[in-house]
């Protein structure tokens, strides 16, 4: 469906620009919606490595109990 296609789009965006923290966050959101928690947490942690000051990403990890 749409979620699978959107995830594939973010996969491609990350391949083209692996420094794009927002693409990791967006893929994490899709992974959470699809109940892929482990993948989502991994993407959020990668996003924080790229953008350590992103309060939204910190909050998402906190909400997941991963801080």
């Amino acid at each position: 469906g749409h979620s699978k296609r959107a995830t594939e789009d973010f996969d491609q965006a990350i391949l083209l620009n692996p420094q794009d923290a927002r693409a990791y966050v967006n893929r994490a959101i899709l992974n959470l919606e699809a109940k892929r928690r482990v993948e989502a947490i991994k993407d959020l942690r990668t996003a924080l490595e790229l953008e350590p000051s992103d309060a939204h990403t910190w909050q998402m990890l906190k909400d997941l109990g991963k801080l």
Side-chain angles (χ1 to χ4, degrees):
H2 297 293
S3 179
K4 183 178 186 326
R5 174 62 196 263
T7 301
E8 290 170 354
D9 288 345
F10 286 118
D11 291 345
Q12 186 64 26
I14 289 166
L15 281 174
L16 293 172
N17 183 6
Q19 302 303 310
D20 184 0
R22 185 62 25 206
Y24 286 99
V25 172
N26 288 331
R27 188 172 69 179
I29 292 167
L30 291 172
N31 279 327
L32 286 171
E33 290 172 357
K35 309 289 189 235
R36 292 188 299 263
R37 185 179 165 95
V38 172
E39 293 91 336
I41 291 166
K42 182 178 177 205
D43 278 347
L44 290 172
R45 287 183 172 155
T46 300
L48 277 180
E49 288 174 16
L50 296 169
E51 294 271 343
S53 62
D54 187 331
H56 178 252
T57 306
W58 280 106
Q59 187 62 50
M60 288 178 69
L61 276 172
K62 183 179 177 186
D63 291 347
L64 290 168
K66 291 298 173 183
L67 278 185

